[in-house]
Amino acid sequence: MLADYAMTLLATLLLLAGIANLVLASAAIGFNALQCLRRRRGDQIAGGGLGFAAETRPFVSVHVATHNEPADMVMATLDALAAMDYPAFEVLLIDNNTADPAMWRPVKDHIARLGARFRFFHREGVVGAKAGALNIGIAVCNPETRYVAVVDADYQVTPDFLSSAMLAFSDDIQFVQFPQAYRNSQQAKPVVAELSDYFRTFPSAANRSGASLLTGTLSVIAIDALRSVGGWPTASITEDAQLGVALWKAGARGLYVDKVVGRGLLPLDLAGLRIQRNRWVTGNIQTLLGTLRDWRSLQQRKGKVAVAAQLTAWSGFLAIPLVLLSTVIVIRFLAPEVYNAVSSLWLWSQWIATQTLLISLGGLVMRALANSSPATLAVMLSLLWTSSFGWLSALTGRRLTFHRTPKAGSRNARRFSVDVIASWLALGMGVSFWISGSPLTAAALILAASGLVTGPVVNLCLRRAARQPEALSCPA
């Protein structure tokens, strides 16, 4: 009797988790669709600021945070910054926690040759990864600084980067964000299209309500607004999104400007892309959960849907359905008497999980078609389980660890990732459900395992792109 109660309780809890997950998935996909529709109606704004006159250009402090970065790559980034046409700026390179002097001393020597506008800082024991380094930049920047610009170590800006940013500012704009773009992109166009989907859709649509968030590089922020929210948040692994939310909550207005003013490097391979995506998914959901705790105080703020859409844009919701269907199949085959005792609950769990799979996969197809780039679907499928499992760790409430995307090859890359393991599990379960007479569930699971086919193709594209000469060349 006790065992029956326990099994009923387990089935009920799993069913409730499945329902909650289905609601979240439907809401996230609905947010995404709404942003796509807004973009199609022409709601995106390419600029809109009044700009500053040439004779009154404010001073900008450009901050580049580095940690264990290849010296040649960083020096190319600095050379591009030195070529900017803006009259009033400095560049601070803050190297944090790089133990090997052979990695940062060539950069220090190169900065000495670039002149007084460039300063180098090497710091050990920095807490908060990139955010901690950027906070050092705020503390040591020129007292005349009115704006802080952030450029990642692999990004080479165009000469008009700061000039374009200043043209977008006005009295009611406190920060400007440009899109991420890539130099080594010709061999990996579907990957670039998938990454660019975010910028084509979410911050563009968010401009209408002034709720566009930051995305980590090619950002220009009023230093007064930055200081008013306590600087860069060090408790999040996506400090850019959390800072954007903090500025939005404080009433600061951001503007996304749809102009390429710099290009960085794609991840070297699929493993690197998955590391990057896991960080974005986990950190953004962590930020969303923190925002929801203070939701009542935000009821009068415009742009809540746009903020939620940006923070869930990279997330998938198939982890719980996979657990649900795994439990159903195991109990059905190994303990049929237990399954039969509460079969209605297990059937409902299977139905909920199947609907979540179909809705989520349909959402990916919708986004691929909205991009007019069906090939992006292959990239989305190769990242499906990273996007789905990554955010679960944010629910634990523990402090998450920042993992930077590798810029150099590693011999220690893992052969088995959550995507590979989950895809094989989904494929095996799909066959099992087909045999047991559930073709719809089987089809959904087999489609969810498509990353086993698309993943190697995406990996090959990225590896070819990493070998291209333009990966290290300066932009034209």
Side-chain angles (χ1 to χ4, degrees):
M1 184 68 70
L2 185 60
D4 290 342
Y5 283 132
M7 188 53 59
T8 301
L9 179 61
L10 173 63
T12 302
L13 291 175
L14 288 173
L15 176 60
L16 291 175
I19 293 172
N21 186 74
L22 176 58
V23 171
L24 286 174
S26 301
I29 293 168
F31 291 156
N32 295 346
L34 180 60
Q35 304 313 301
C36 287
L37 290 172
R38 284 180 173 174
R39 182 189 70 187
R40 285 180 174 272
R41 288 202 306 264
D43 285 355
Q44 67 174 342
I45 304 171
L50 301 176
F52 292 94
E55 64 274 11
T56 59
R57 294 289 175 89
F59 192 87
V60 182
S61 186
V62 182
H63 297 173
V64 182
T66 61
H67 170 71
N68 285 336
E69 305 288 6
D72 289 346
M73 181 191 75
V74 177
M75 289 188 288
T77 295
L78 294 169
D79 289 341
L81 289 169
M84 289 190 298
D85 60 15
Y86 192 75
F89 73 92
E90 67 175 359
V91 176
L92 309 184
L93 188 139
I94 307 101
D95 181 82
N96 71 99
N97 303 325
T98 301
D100 185 1
M103 297 195 73
W104 56 262
R105 278 182 179 158
V107 178
K108 180 180 180 181
D109 294 340
H110 189 71
I111 281 179
R113 294 190 290 269
L114 289 175
R117 275 182 167 174
F118 288 74
R119 289 191 282 158
F120 177 87
F121 301 87
H122 172 74
R123 295 288 188 270
E124 297 287 348
V126 176
V127 176
K130 179 182 175 182
L134 292 175
N135 282 333
I136 292 173
I138 297 173
V140 300
C141 67
N142 189 308
E144 297 180 4
T145 298
R146 288 182 59 190
Y147 293 90
V148 170
V150 179
V151 177
D152 275 359
D154 61 313
Y155 264 76
Q156 296 171 10
V157 302
T158 56
D160 64 345
F161 165 45
L162 292 183
S163 298
S164 298
M166 291 304 111
L167 287 174
F169 275 102
S170 63
D171 291 340
D172 65 339
I173 300 295
Q174 283 74 47
F175 64 88
V176 168
Q177 177 65 60
F178 293 97
Q180 295 180 13
Y182 304 92
R183 301 194 294 280
N184 54 334
S185 60
Q186 290 303 306
Q187 298 295 324
K189 289 183 178 180
V191 179
V192 173
E194 194 269 347
L195 290 166
S196 301
D197 168 56
Y198 175 86
F199 291 97
R200 283 193 300 267
T201 301
F202 296 94
S204 297
N207 270 346
R208 190 171 184 85
S209 55
S212 180
L213 302 181
L214 295 163
T215 54
T217 187
L218 305 177
S219 312
V220 185
I221 312 162
I223 194 167
D224 289 342
L226 189 53
R227 285 172 172 159
S228 71
V229 295
W232 292 89
T234 58
S236 173
I237 59 174
T238 48
E239 72 293 325
D240 46 3
Q242 183 146 348
L243 176 61
V245 170
L247 290 168
W248 170 71
K249 288 166 63 176
R253 182 182 177 90
L255 180 71
Y256 169 71
V257 178
D258 190 15
K259 177 182 180 180
V260 173
V261 294
R263 297 180 185 274
L265 294 177
L266 287 167
L268 299 176
D269 51 25
L270 183 56
L273 185 63
R274 284 170 173 164
I275 289 172
Q276 182 187 71
R277 186 59 51 89
N278 183 74
R279 184 176 74 247
W280 292 353
V281 168
T282 307
N284 283 5
I285 292 297
Q286 180 190 38
T287 298
L288 179 62
L289 291 174
T291 304
L292 290 174
R293 295 188 192 103
D294 192 32
W295 196 250
R296 287 187 177 180
S297 66
L298 302 175
Q299 290 183 358
Q300 303 305 315
R301 296 287 302 126
K302 288 182 62 179
K304 291 187 287 293
V305 170
V307 168
Q310 290 170 91
L311 294 177
T312 58
W314 304 109
S315 299
F317 296 89
L318 300 188
I320 291 175
L322 189 67
V323 172
L324 271 176
L325 293 173
S326 299
T327 305
V328 169
I329 206 74
V330 167
I331 293 178
R332 178 187 288 181
F333 282 101
L334 297 185
E337 69 286 350
V338 174
Y339 177 86
N340 292 330
V342 286
S343 60
S344 60
L345 288 175
W346 295 122
L347 287 172
W348 272 107
S349 295
Q350 179 181 332
W351 187 85
I352 290 292
T354 302
Q355 298 309 307
T356 308
L357 284 165
L358 294 173
I359 289 172
S360 297
L361 293 169
L364 296 183
V365 172
M366 175 196 72
R367 288 179 67 171
L369 294 177
N371 289 334
S372 301
S373 178
T376 61
L377 182 61
V379 184
M380 294 174 184
L381 290 171
S382 69
L383 297 167
L384 184 61
W385 299 107
T386 291
S387 300
S388 296
F389 278 92
W391 61 271
L392 294 179
S393 58
L395 299 179
T396 63
R398 63 183 176 86
R399 188 180 181 90
L400 303 173
T401 303
F402 183 96
H403 295 287
R404 88 187 207 344
T405 306
K407 305 298 192 310
S410 172
R411 297 180 180 178
N412 299 319
R414 291 178 296 177
R415 296 181 62 186
F416 297 101
S417 66
V418 66
D419 285 88
V420 174
I421 296 170
S423 293
W424 278 112
L425 179 59
L427 184 60
M429 287 167 46
V431 173
S432 298
F433 275 105
W434 186 275
I435 293 171
S436 65
S438 301
L440 187 61
T441 302
L445 283 166
I446 292 170
L447 287 173
S450 300
L452 292 172
V453 177
T454 64
V457 177
V458 173
N459 187 57
L460 180 61
C461 289
L462 287 169
R463 286 184 175 276
R464 286 179 175 175
R467 293 195 295 267
Q468 297 305 302
E470 61 265 28
L472 288 178
S473 63
C474 286

